[in-house]
Amino acid sequence: MVDLHSQYEKVQDEMDKAIRSVIDSAAFVKGPKVTEFQTHLEQYLGVRHVIPVANGTEAIQIALMALGLQPGDEVITPTFTFIATAEVVALLGLKPVVVDVDPDTFCMTAQQVAKAITPKTKAIVPVNLFGQNAPLEDLKALVDEHHLFLVEDACQSMGSHYIFRDGSRVSSGTVGIMGCTSFFPSKNLGCYGDGGAIFTNDDLLAEKARSIANHGMTVRYHHDRVGVNSRLDAIQAAVLDVKLPHLDDYIRSRQHAADFYNEAFQSLSWVKTPSVAPYTTHAFHQYTLVLSDGIDRPALQAFLKEKGIPSMVYYPIPLHLQKAYRDPRYAEGDFPVAEHLASHVISLPMHTELDEEQLNYITESFKSFHP
Ligand SMILES: *Cc1c(COP(=O)(O)O)cnc(C)c1O
């Protein structure tokens, strides 16, 4: 599904030097390399504060802690997503409230969210799924009206842009009061281990989040609040700092692969190719097709595997049907779009190193499946 080694080979000398210099400096935790990367990422995103943390899941957790959410507060999130969002909501004793998603963009809609708001709602956490942004301008209008917080899960949308109705654009993850991303190796900007970051333009929240990520300290050994230990390693910061100048090229490669797939599959009657909403660019973290009713997905996956082509199902079970998150408020059938997607989506190889030959082979093989 990804080819991280070929990507590494293209920057090998620079990368080896960067990692070596961290080892030579022996500043493995915090230190100048992390600060350097932080500053470069702030410049790239056009955001006042980047707070580097240990992974994307903890980025969301720390953001919700910094906002002062209390046990029992409701947080609205989509049911068709990776588990991390609901997980930290549950761990903090908050109440996850899930909503269905749009059948074309796979993201939550403002209409669905509006119906789920109660007096206990405190935050909305949209997931910018597969690389395109949720309708953030509409969601922002909703949180402003109801005095809530908008926290973006931008773990898959790093490097994409949100386009406002007036034509202005901002980096994904910087529309909400806080945005969270992951540097997991296969993400759009991936390190060589775990990593993550929080983005915000709010000085006070940045200070709080920084303190929470560092055991609730502002002055050493003075703990003002309950925190966690969540740091980006200096070696990971060095890796990310080498890759950041290439991020726009990486995204162009993904978009090119997506265009190739779209072109190849447009005449295929039994798949629906991804739609890109007018208010966003698409970083194509994943390339995800929706199969028509009656297509045997396991048979298709086995057919592709036979030809040496990996495929994945992101995500086979929506949140409200996960065993750990079963809730008497929700039953099967409550979120028909998410449930339909869970049983009909299939994702194809998507990364920065797909060449024409590979793309040709994948698409020709895919098209030779007889449903
Ligand atoms: C990857 C991902 C996360 C979690 O990031 P980690 O760094 O793996 O903790 C959260 N949300 C979404 C949508 C993701 O894709």
Side-chain angles (χ1 to χ4, degrees), residues 100-107 109 112 272-275 290 336-338 340-341 345:
D100 211 346
V101 296
D102 180 81
D104 296 320
T105 64
F106 314 146
C107 291
T109 67
Q112 295 278 6
K272 188 176 140 207
T273 53
S275 323
V290 184
V337 178
H340 180 266
L341 291 173
V345 287

Side-chain angles (χ1 to χ4, degrees), residues 54-60 81-85 127-130 153-156 181-184 187 194-196 285 315:
N55 57 67
T57 307
E58 288 180 352
I60 305 168
T81 183
F82 181 58
I83 202 69
T85 332
V127 179
N128 300 327
L129 202 71
F130 300 153
D153 181 337
C155 289
Q156 301 188 358
T181 204
S182 164
F183 303 126
F184 185 78
K187 296 286 159 88
D194 274 308
H285 175 62
Y315 295 94

Side-chain angles (χ1 to χ4, degrees), residues 296-314:
D296 186 342
R297 186 171 64 182
L300 172 60
Q301 288 196 275
F303 175 83
L304 293 171
K305 192 176 173 201
E306 187 78 7
K307 294 182 176 298
I309 300 166
S311 64
M312 291 289 283
V313 173
Y314 304 115

Side-chain angles (χ1 to χ4, degrees), residues 121-177:
T121 308
K122 285 287 153 54
I124 298 175
V125 186
V127 179
N128 300 327
L129 202 71
F130 300 153
Q132 77 174 314
N133 292 283
L136 300 172
E137 188 170 10
D138 292 349
L139 291 170
K140 190 155 184 324
L142 212 52
V143 301
D144 289 347
E145 183 190 336
H146 294 270
H147 307 289
L148 312 172
F149 299 117
L150 182 66
V151 178
E152 283 173 71
D153 181 337
C155 289
Q156 301 188 358
S157 57
M158 178 73 176
S160 72
H161 287 90
Y162 192 82
I163 306 164
F164 289 94
R165 288 193 183 87
D166 68 5
S168 61
R169 292 171 174 235
V170 297
S171 296
S172 182
T174 69
V175 177
I177 183 87

Side-chain angles (χ1 to χ4, degrees), residues 56-93:
T57 307
E58 288 180 352
I60 305 168
Q61 177 177 345
I62 293 163
L64 296 179
M65 289 170 79
L67 290 168
L69 267 57
Q70 296 299 319
D73 287 350
E74 293 180 359
V75 176
I76 302 175
T77 198
T79 186
F80 184 65
T81 183
F82 181 58
I83 202 69
T85 332
E87 185 175 52
V88 301
V89 168
L91 282 173
L92 292 173

